[in-house]
Amino acid sequence: MGRGGDSDKKVAAGVCCCIIFIPSVIMFACSFAILDPHQIGLHYNGPALTLDPETVTNGRYFVGLGHYFFKFPAKLNYIEFSNSAEGGERNHRINLWTRDGQEVFAEVGFYYRIMPEKLSKLYYTYGFDYLSVIENIATNAFRDVSTEYNTIQFFEERDLINDRMHQELQLRLASSVYVTVPRFN
């Protein structure tokens, strides 16, 4: 053989190894998905267009190429109906009516948490647009409960009405949006 025959083979072999090794490392690295400590998720298989209905908790997972998580908050989230600036863009106090027809304005806030065991039902029903549903259900629950009481009871039995609103909100949200309401004020 002539000059450089062996070295040409070595260079060609090195180039082939790089062509295979570098993309393999990149594909392996792209096959991981991460859920942060305050997240839960659903595993989505992009190539097959399927969603695993089992909820996945925080951590680093080897899911494969084209797979990723639909991420949801696992922590307590706050919704407020008041005139404060911190409540958000859609924030406003709620106008309610009493049993005797008097209009009452209420400022209400509550914490909610998604039920991990029902995450797939939440996603299949509402997708990622569940927050407006929670706000609408909450508003309707507060208005329905307020009509059970007279105007004077809003001043004399505020704690009773507060507890009744919390109970009704918890019942409605757990059955339709799959969230719990551990704190209510």
Side-chain angles (χ1 to χ4, degrees):
M1 276 192 118
R3 280 197 216 167
D6 284 340
S7 94
D8 287 344
K9 288 181 183 179
K10 289 179 183 177
V11 169
V15 169
C16 286
C17 285
C18 286
I19 289 174
I20 293 171
F21 180 72
I22 292 174
S24 296
V25 168
I26 292 171
M27 287 189 294
F28 181 75
C30 291
S31 296
F32 285 91
I34 299 171
L35 287 172
D36 294 334
H38 298 290
Q39 291 179 327
I40 54 177
L42 297 171
H43 177 205
Y44 180 71
N45 180 343
L49 302 175
T50 59
L51 185 68
D52 184 356
E54 190 165 325
T55 301
V56 182
T57 57
N58 64 315
R60 181 183 311 266
Y61 295 90
F62 183 79
V63 292
L65 283 175
H67 296 237
Y68 52 92
F69 291 119
F70 290 157
K71 298 176 181 181
F72 294 85
K75 62 182 177 57
L76 289 175
N77 298 285
Y78 188 66
I79 293 179
E80 180 179 46
F81 298 97
S82 73
N83 284 334
S84 92
E86 291 103 28
E89 184 178 313
R90 296 182 57 190
N91 186 29
H92 60 279
R93 61 187 182 168
I94 303 172
N95 58 328
L96 309 171
W97 296 271
T98 62
R99 184 184 320 159
D100 50 355
Q102 179 67 41
E103 185 175 27
V104 176
F105 294 96
E107 294 188 355
V108 181
F110 62 91
Y111 286 92
Y112 72 91
R113 177 180 283 145
I114 295 172
M115 296 178 192
E117 66 277 6
K118 306 254 181 143
L119 182 60
S120 61
K121 285 184 176 184
L122 172 76
Y123 178 75
Y124 285 132
T125 307
Y126 304 107
F128 294 107
D129 300 324
Y130 57 89
L131 184 57
S132 62
V133 176
I134 292 173
E135 290 174 343
N136 290 337
I137 290 173
T139 302
N140 290 332
F142 301 148
R143 286 182 176 151
D144 290 347
V145 169
S146 71
T147 60
E148 298 173 5
Y149 299 94
N150 292 322
T151 306
I152 196 73
Q153 289 176 295
F154 271 85
F155 298 100
E156 295 175 349
E157 300 174 17
R158 185 173 295 221
D159 289 337
L160 174 70
I161 296 171
N162 189 46
D163 291 343
R164 177 71 181 97
M165 285 183 174
H166 183 199
Q167 177 187 23
E168 186 65 24
L169 181 64
Q170 173 67 31
L171 181 71
R172 290 185 187 193
L173 291 180
S175 64
S176 60
V177 191
Y178 314 111
V179 299
T180 60
V181 183
R183 300 268 307 148
F184 181 87
N185 55 333

